[in-house]
Every structure is written in C-alpha cells, then in structure tokens.
Amino acid sequence: MKSLWNSFKIAFAMFSKIPVPQAEWTKENMKYMFCFFPFIGTVIGLVSLAAAWLAGYLGFNVTFLSVALTVLPMLITGGIHVDGLLDTADALSSWQERKRRLEILKDSNAGAFAVITAGVYFLCWFGSYSEICFDRQAMVVVAFGFMVSRCLSGLGVITLPKAREDGTVAEFSKKSEDIPVRNTLICYLIILAALMIWTEPVMGTAAFLAAAGVFVYYRHMAMKYFGGTTGDLSGWFLCLCELAMALVTAVLRVILV
C-alpha cells in the first residue's frame, strides 16, 4: 500500500505542478507510477468542467472562457508535455538523420518550427473550445480525453522500444512493473471508452477512435524517425492526442446541432 501511495505522489510530482508530499524516487516507489498518470488528466478534466460551469453561471463570454480553458492544462502540468511537442516539431522539421534528430530533441533552444507549432496548437485549442465550451456533453467527452491520452502515453512508454537507453523514458520503463501497469491502463481505457460513448455516442466514439488513430501514427513515426520513443515524443503524442479528440468533438458538435 505504501508503494502505491508513493507511486501516486511521484506521478503527480513528475507530471504536474500540483503540490504533493515528497517521496524517494526508488524502483520500489516508482513501479506503479504510470497507473496514476491518468489521474492528472482527471484533475484537468474536472477543473475544466468546473471552469465552464462557473463561467456560464457568472455570464462570461465564449472568448474569455475559451482562452481560460486553453491555458488551464498548462497551469496544472507546467507545460511539460508541450515542451515535448515543440522539441519534436523541431526535430521532425529538420529532416536530418536519426542521430541528429535525437540531438535536436535534447536541445533546449526553440527553433522556428517549434514557435509555429505552438501558435497553431493553441489556436486549434481555442477554436475547439469556442465551439464546445458551453455544451455539457461535448465538454465531458473532452474531459475524459485528458485521461485517455495519458493512458495511451503510458502504454507507449511501457510497450514501445526506447530510442535512448539513457533517457528518462528508458529509466521510468526500467522501474515500472510492466505487466500489471499495462493491464491497469488497458482497463482504464475500456472504462473511459464506455463512459465517453455513454455521454454522447457519436462524439464519444469518434473522439476515442481519433485518440487510437493518433497513437497508431505516433508508434509509426517514433519507430521510423527515431528508432523508438523518448520523453519528448511521449509529450508530442499526448498533446496531439488531446487536440485531435477536441477537434473531432467540436466538428461533430457543429454537425449534430
């Protein structure tokens, strides 16, 4: 039980800015960390739903709420996954050979393609929220999506080859109990898929399929261009997975209404 509690604390300490008690980062304490990774998505989803309800109650307009909802995940996570998105954008856009791409991932400087990607990414989120922020069912589907993306990201860390044996992802994978963690994340995904479809059958189904499609592409891209996954690639996937679910939900919300 103590190991589970420590894994919970380490997951939140690593992947969010939410204050938690400290725990020593040992193999014993980290082996179930990815079982709790999706619960950071739970926090993001609940805070987003609460913000949408409060904005509606107080009479805030769509633009203000859309900006707030776009920024909220960054405030909760500290932007750790967006950092991976931007690093990966620079690496992919370089069209260099594999070794050089991996070096670019580790470069802390932001290139032109990272800046462009950031602009497009946040504008797409803003546009998506402007269509769905006052639609309860659509917002619930997107809220579940923050958990789905983290389940799939965790599965990627556990199941995909590692591009660097000395990287953060490789280190986390070595300390993880792969089989129980993998099975737990799969169970989460089954439950989340059912909840999304129950919330709104068309939007829920489409959003979950979009997430699965992005995961398939992520696996292909990581293997083809990097020889496996890294922490930055995991962040790239998580960001695009969540955005894909939001965009699909927004488009279907317009079509269905």
Side-chain angles (χ1 to χ4, degrees), residues 94-103 225:
S94 71
W95 294 106
Q96 300 293 316
E97 46 87 26
R98 181 180 294 176
K99 182 178 178 181
R100 177 58 184 148
R101 287 196 192 100
L102 290 170
E103 290 174 354
Y225 295 115

Side-chain angles (χ1 to χ4, degrees), residues 49-61 64-66 68-69 133-134:
L49 291 173
W53 176 85
L54 184 62
Y57 180 78
L58 296 176
F60 285 101
N61 64 39
F64 182 88
L65 177 56
S66 298
L69 292 172
C133 61
F134 288 125

Side-chain angles (χ1 to χ4, degrees), residues 10-27:
I10 291 172
F12 273 74
M14 177 67 193
F15 298 110
S16 81
K17 289 295 183 179
I18 301 169
V20 292
Q22 294 296 308
E24 190 177 354
W25 290 35
T26 63
K27 179 177 175 61

